[in-house]
């Protein structure tokens, strides 16, 4: 298994499509043809001796090809029956005519006509070569071998020409990649869909049939390596061109450590889209083409196919392995998850047909997947570290929801878009005992610990957040505002959890009930701390002395009530409860406690005051005024006019 050090450099310099063949025999030509008419060189066979191939023999116009092939069959049968293998027979005169025909057909300027005679000729030449090989020191074998090589050269060039003659596919359309600073996640990369007019690799059935005949003929004649070399070079170049049009060569592993995350995020998005295009489109298309072209030699093609895609995949893996070396940071989680899913898709794509030649490549992909997964686990550790060390010294104005609470809950909500992937990562990590140890408190007792490792991780994050918020609440010197802060954050957390079916499922109903109970506790504590104290100002105790109303005490009670209510309204006017339902519940509960008590008190004692100015001095607010002012609380208003009704 190849180790990825992350120091591989630019992709573009690493794609030299050399075949990894089984023998040192090289191909006849490494030249690729890009002409639409598939023109072959007129000097194709000049590497062989013209004299040896009877270059001067004229070719009759009425030559009967079938008769010549029949003569070759008869000669092959004759020499196979010779018992004495010391002296080979002379080649018949028909060989000269046969050689001239071969030379003529392999010197054509185009190859669009039927080449059935050449395919049949290869079959006869192979039979003759086998029969003559039983004799020692035969020049006849050399001549037959040269004829066979001449046809093989021609077929290799024709195969190359056919392979590069497909029409150019439309350039894949990708959305503009944008990156926002410190965003939770960019748009998740979708699986690319080919355009309706895109039929890569674009070969006609006729061309595929021709390639199939050539491949079958070359392999049967013993020229497998030359055939595979021609195919792999042409298709390798075609694959690289497809990826180049997706800015494949701009991905540089050496630049990863130098780029800011904002720039690197866009590069990773490009990488993910390339991998998905490669996995869901190019690999299946190349596999289908190869299975058709090598329909008679599928096992040979499977080995070729892995070598064909290995170089590109290795380069893509180099980039991913280098990214995996980055320092874990919570904000990088979502791009790592995109990479993890893309690599799994790549692995599935090359395993579409099980073959042992895929094993090494699978090990390379799995190695990088494991590194990405390790980074994901560590990023949750970084999230916990961020929560633990977030020690702001300034309280949030008005007891509003803390930015840390919003960050963590939105982070977890986005993370659960990848819940299946995260479950898989944390399950494997738990089995390997690689989950990072945390100094955070254990998950709550009502947390079902038989649930998944991911659920335990989410519960751990929530527990850390609770502890952090409890510390932050002590920054508020006013106990009532402290309760508002804890109520706001508790309600926000509860609503976010209930709004995410995945998080709710992992934390469980018991957790949600406990959280609801905590919010109610803060609600009651706030009401007791603020409004119960206000109601003590209008208690009946001490007002009656010897059965008569003590006006001095009564006046003092009204004055204290007015002063305390004014102070509450002034102080709590800027406080914030952004959750509309919670805001409405708070106001309703305050009114339910304060208004009936105040209305009863005013109704019982207002006649002890003279109408007019004296009454307005002590009974500053009517019950309706109090109710109206309560309805203005928790909106964050720093000043609210306190109008009142007169009797």
């Amino acid at each position: 298994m190849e180790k990825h050090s992350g120091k591989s450099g630019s992709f573009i310099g690493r794609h030299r499509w050399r075949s990894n063949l089984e023998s040192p025999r090289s191909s006849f030509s490494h030249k690729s043809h890009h002409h639409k008419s598939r023109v072959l060189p007129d000097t194709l066979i000049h590497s062989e001796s013209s004299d040896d191939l009877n270059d001067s023999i004229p070719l009759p116009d009425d030559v009967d090809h079938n008769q010549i092939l029949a003569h070759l069959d008869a000669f092959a049968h004759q020499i196979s029956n010779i018992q004495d293998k010391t002296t080979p027979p002379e080649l018949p005169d028909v060989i000269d005519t046969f050689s001239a025909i071969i030379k003529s057909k392999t010197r054509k300027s185009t190859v669009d006509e039927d080449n059935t005679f050449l395919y049949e000729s290869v079959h006869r030449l192979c039979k003759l070569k086998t029969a003559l090989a039983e004799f020692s020191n035969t020049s006849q074998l050399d001549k037959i071998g040269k004829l066979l090589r001449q046809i093989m050269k021609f077929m290799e060039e024709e195969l190359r020409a056919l392979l590069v003659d497909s029409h150019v596919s439309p350039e894949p359309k990708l959305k503009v990649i944008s990156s926002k600073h410190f965003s939770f996640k960019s748009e998740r990369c979708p699986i690319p869909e080919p355009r309706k007019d895109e039929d890569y690799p674009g070969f006609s059935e006729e061309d595929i049939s021709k390639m199939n005949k050539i491949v079958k003929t070359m392999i049967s004649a013993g020229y497998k390596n030359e055939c595979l070399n021609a195919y792999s070079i042409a298709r390798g170049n075609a694959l690289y061109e497809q990826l180049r049009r997706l800015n494949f060569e701009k991905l540089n592993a050496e630049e990863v450590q130098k780029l800011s995350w904002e720039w690197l995020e866009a590069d990773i998005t490009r990488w993910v889209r390339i991998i998905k295009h490669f996995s869901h489109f190019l690999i299946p298309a190349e596999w289908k083409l190869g299975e058709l072209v090598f329909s008679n030699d599928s096992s040979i093609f499977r080995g070729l196919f892995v070598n064909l895609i290995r170089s590109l995949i290795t380069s893509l893996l180099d980039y991913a392995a280098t990214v995996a070396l980055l320092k874990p940071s919570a904000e990088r989680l979502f791009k790592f998850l995109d990479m993890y899913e893309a690599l799994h898709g790549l692995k599935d794509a090359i395993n579409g047909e099980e073959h042992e030649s895929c094993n090494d490549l699978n090990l390379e992909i799995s190695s990088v997947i494991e590194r990405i997964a390790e980074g994901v686990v560590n990023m949750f550790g970084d999230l916990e570290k961020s929560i633990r060390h977030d020690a702001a010294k300034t309280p949030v104005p008005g007891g509003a929801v803390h930015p840390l609470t919003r960050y963590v809950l939105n982070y977890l909500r986005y993370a659960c878009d990848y819940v299946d992937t995260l479950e898989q990562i944390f399950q494997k990590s738990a089995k390997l005992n690689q989950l990072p140890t945390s100094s955070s408190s254990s998950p709550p007792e009502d947390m079902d610990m038989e649930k998944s490792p991911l659920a335990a991780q989410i519960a751990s994050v929530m527990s850390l957040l609770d502890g952090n918020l409890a510390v932050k609440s002590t920054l508020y010197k006013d106990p009532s505002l402290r309760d508002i802060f804890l109520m706001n954050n508790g309600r926000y957390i509860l609503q976010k959890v209930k709004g995410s079916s995945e998080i709710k499922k992992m934390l469980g109903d018991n957790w949600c009930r406990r959280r609801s109970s905590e919010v109610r506790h803060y609600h009651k504590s706030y009401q007791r701390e603020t409004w119960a104290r206000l109601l003590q100002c209008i208690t009946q105790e001490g007002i009656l002395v010897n059965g008569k109303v003590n006006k001095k005490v009564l006046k003092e009670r009204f004055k204290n009530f007015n002063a305390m209510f004014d102070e509450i309204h002034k102080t709590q006017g800027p406080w914030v409860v952004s959750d509309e339902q919670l805001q409405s519940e708070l106001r309703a509960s305050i009114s339910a406690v304060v208004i009936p008590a105040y209305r009863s008190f005013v109704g019982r004692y207002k006649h002890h005051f003279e109408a007019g100015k004296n009454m307005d001095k002590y009974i500053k607010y009517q019950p309706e005024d109090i109710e109206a002012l309560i309805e203005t609380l928790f909106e964050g208003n720093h000043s609210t006019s306190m109008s009142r009704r007169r009797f």
Side-chain angles (χ1 to χ4, degrees):
M1 179 175 68
E2 183 177 346
K3 299 293 183 182
H4 295 277
S5 64
K7 300 180 180 179
S8 57
S10 176
F11 288 179
I12 197 167
R14 296 200 299 276
H15 296 282
R16 303 292 182 264
W17 293 100
R18 302 184 179 94
S19 295
N20 182 16
L21 301 177
E22 298 176 2
S23 76
R25 183 194 299 182
S26 62
S27 180
F28 294 118
S29 172
H30 295 281
K31 181 178 177 183
S32 295
H33 297 276
H34 298 278
H35 306 291
K36 293 184 178 180
S37 60
R38 298 203 299 273
V39 176
L40 296 180
D42 288 338
T43 57
L44 182 63
I45 65 169
H46 280 187
S47 60
E48 304 287 358
S49 170
S50 296
D51 292 338
D52 289 342
L53 298 178
N54 294 311
D55 188 39
S56 60
I57 298 296
L59 186 63
D61 295 332
D62 58 347
V63 62
D64 187 338
H65 291 175
N66 291 331
Q67 187 177 11
I68 290 175
L69 293 174
H71 283 305
L72 293 178
D73 286 334
F75 180 62
H77 179 72
Q78 174 190 344
I79 60 178
S80 64
N81 290 327
I82 297 177
Q83 299 299 320
D84 183 5
K85 303 296 183 180
T86 57
T87 303
E90 293 294 327
L91 294 177
D93 293 340
V94 73
I95 291 295
D96 293 333
T97 303
F98 177 70
S99 299
I101 295 173
I102 295 300
K103 182 174 182 179
S104 173
K105 286 188 171 293
T106 55
R107 271 190 149 180
K108 299 190 307 294
S109 59
T110 61
V111 296
D112 290 331
E113 66 181 59
D114 184 23
N115 286 312
T116 303
F117 179 78
L118 289 180
Y119 299 129
E120 295 293 335
S121 298
V122 170
H123 176 64
R124 270 68 176 190
L125 288 171
C126 287
K127 287 172 62 176
L128 286 173
K129 187 178 178 182
T130 300
L132 289 171
E134 297 180 7
F135 296 87
S136 58
N137 300 322
T138 170
S139 59
Q140 290 89 334
L141 180 61
D142 291 339
K143 180 173 289 189
I144 295 300
K146 288 178 180 179
L147 279 173
L148 184 60
R149 287 196 297 276
Q150 181 179 351
I151 298 175
M152 291 297 101
K153 276 185 179 182
F154 174 80
M155 287 190 173
E156 181 185 357
E157 289 298 329
E158 183 175 7
L159 179 61
R160 290 182 187 277
L162 286 166
L163 285 167
V164 299
D165 191 37
S166 65
H167 76 274
V168 179
S169 302
E171 187 164 351
K173 299 294 183 181
L174 296 181
K175 295 180 179 179
V176 177
I177 300 171
S178 61
S179 176
K180 296 182 179 179
H181 179 63
F182 201 68
S183 59
F184 284 114
K185 63 192 269 287
S186 298
E187 180 182 346
R188 193 171 182 180
C189 298
I191 296 175
E193 295 184 1
R195 291 167 28 149
K196 293 181 179 180
D197 60 342
E198 192 170 6
D199 60 345
Y200 175 89
F203 294 107
S204 67
E205 292 184 5
E206 180 183 1
D207 284 346
I208 292 175
S209 177
K210 289 180 180 179
M211 287 188 277
N212 176 267
K213 290 179 181 178
I214 293 173
V215 166
K216 179 182 177 181
T217 302
M218 291 186 71
I219 292 177
S220 66
Y223 285 77
K224 179 180 74 172
N225 289 343
E226 288 77 5
C227 172
L228 300 188
N229 193 43
Y231 188 90
S232 62
I233 289 174
R235 297 317 304 158
N237 287 334
L239 273 175
Y240 180 78
E241 175 60 21
Q242 283 290 309
L243 297 188
R244 185 195 64 78
R245 292 158 68 187
L246 299 178
N247 293 321
F248 167 76
E249 73 281 0
K250 291 184 180 180
L251 298 173
N252 192 331
E254 291 181 350
E255 296 294 325
V256 167
Q257 299 289 344
K258 302 175 184 177
L259 293 175
S260 67
W261 177 248
E262 184 176 4
W263 285 97
L264 189 58
E265 193 175 24
D267 266 0
I268 293 174
T269 299
R270 180 184 299 113
W271 179 92
V272 169
R273 286 174 173 166
I274 288 173
I275 284 281
K276 289 188 175 182
H277 187 70
F278 196 48
S279 303
H280 295 277
F281 182 45
L282 297 181
I283 287 180
E286 285 294 337
W287 179 269
K288 181 178 180 181
L289 173 65
E291 285 284 271
L292 292 172
V293 172
F294 289 84
S295 61
N296 301 101
D297 304 277
S298 295
S299 60
I300 293 175
F301 169 68
R302 287 169 185 153
L304 167 67
F305 180 74
V306 174
N307 289 330
L308 176 64
I309 62 176
R310 183 185 298 276
S311 179
L312 287 169
I313 289 178
T314 299
S315 296
L316 290 165
L317 292 179
D318 285 344
Y319 182 84
T322 308
V323 171
L325 295 176
L326 294 172
K327 182 180 178 181
S329 175
E331 66 173 329
R332 298 172 180 173
L333 173 70
F334 305 104
K335 286 303 170 191
F336 270 57
L337 289 171
D338 283 339
M339 294 177 73
Y340 182 93
E341 291 181 346
L343 287 171
H344 261 288
L346 176 63
K347 189 175 179 181
D348 291 341
I350 67 172
N351 287 333
E353 292 288 337
E354 294 185 5
H355 188 61
E356 60 181 8
S357 58
C358 296
N359 290 343
D360 288 344
L361 197 53
N362 276 329
L363 288 175
E364 291 183 46
I365 298 173
S366 296
S367 174
V368 179
I369 287 176
E370 289 173 5
R371 297 186 196 184
I372 296 292
E374 183 180 353
V376 168
V377 173
N378 290 335
M379 285 171 191
F380 269 86
D382 183 71
L383 176 64
E384 290 187 339
K385 181 180 178 182
S386 299
I387 297 171
R388 196 178 302 114
H389 293 162
D390 189 281
K393 301 299 182 183
T394 304
V396 176
V401 177
H402 198 281
L404 178 65
T405 305
R406 295 183 185 276
Y407 176 85
V408 171
L409 268 295
N410 285 324
Y411 188 93
L412 295 179
R413 183 169 64 86
Y414 283 126
C416 283
D417 287 346
Y418 301 84
V419 64
D420 292 336
T421 299
L422 285 170
E423 288 280 13
Q424 185 181 85
I425 290 173
F426 278 93
Q427 286 282 4
K428 290 182 179 179
S429 184
K431 289 179 181 178
L432 296 174
N433 296 318
Q434 291 179 345
L435 284 173
T437 57
S438 173
S439 60
S440 64
S441 58
S442 301
E445 293 181 359
D446 54 11
M447 175 71 189
D448 185 356
M449 292 315 297
E450 293 184 359
K451 290 189 176 182
S452 69
L454 175 61
Q457 179 66 57
I458 298 294
S460 177
V461 170
M462 298 301 293
S463 181
L464 270 174
L465 179 61
D466 284 343
N468 186 285
L469 291 174
V471 172
K472 283 180 168 54
S473 71
T474 62
L475 297 174
Y476 298 98
K477 303 307 178 184
D478 187 332
S480 296
L481 184 53
R482 187 181 308 146
D483 289 329
I484 290 291
F485 172 77
L486 292 172
M487 196 188 325
N488 271 326
N489 284 271
R491 183 60 169 257
Y492 181 87
I493 292 170
L494 182 61
Q495 294 301 99
K496 284 291 184 179
V497 169
K498 287 183 175 180
S500 170
S501 59
E502 297 296 345
I503 300 179
K504 183 180 178 182
K505 180 180 178 181
M506 284 186 282
L507 293 177
D509 292 335
N510 288 339
W511 185 95
C512 291
R513 282 192 290 269
R514 181 176 63 85
R515 178 65 60 175
S516 296
S517 178
E518 289 176 356
V519 173
R520 287 194 299 271
H521 167 75
Y522 297 135
H523 185 160
K524 291 177 180 179
S525 177
Y526 160 77
Q527 194 161 301
R528 181 174 60 250
E529 187 67 33
T530 298
W531 302 102
R533 288 175 54 230
L534 177 66
L535 292 179
Q536 290 177 2
C537 297
I538 54 176
T539 181
Q540 306 287 341
E541 185 178 352
I543 294 180
L544 294 176
V545 179
N546 296 324
K548 294 183 179 182
V549 173
N550 187 327
K551 288 189 177 182
K552 183 178 179 181
V553 174
L554 181 61
K555 290 177 181 179
E556 191 66 25
R557 293 286 171 86
F558 273 109
K559 285 174 61 177
N560 290 341
F561 178 89
N562 295 335
M564 184 174 290
F565 182 79
D566 288 347
E567 182 62 27
I568 291 173
H569 193 273
K570 177 182 177 182
T571 301
Q572 298 191 13
W575 294 5
V576 177
V577 176
S578 54
D579 183 277
E580 293 184 0
Q581 184 179 349
L582 179 59
Q583 185 187 78
S584 178
E585 290 172 358
L586 269 173
R587 290 171 175 171
S589 66
I590 294 169
S591 294
V593 171
V594 174
I595 301 305
Y598 183 67
R599 178 176 284 114
S600 174
F601 191 79
V602 170
R604 185 169 183 176
Y605 295 109
K606 70 177 180 179
H607 64 274
H608 291 283
F609 297 96
E610 295 180 7
K613 185 176 181 181
N614 193 42
M615 182 177 289
D616 290 344
K617 179 180 178 181
Y618 296 103
I619 306 178
K620 186 176 180 180
Y621 301 106
Q622 290 297 308
E624 292 78 10
D625 299 330
I626 299 293
E627 188 171 15
L629 290 171
I630 289 174
E631 289 297 314
T632 65
L633 294 175
F634 313 122
E635 293 183 349
N637 296 324
H638 289 269
S639 61
T640 302
S641 60
M642 300 176 65
S643 60
R644 55 197 177 103
R645 301 180 185 181
R646 293 183 178 273
F647 287 97

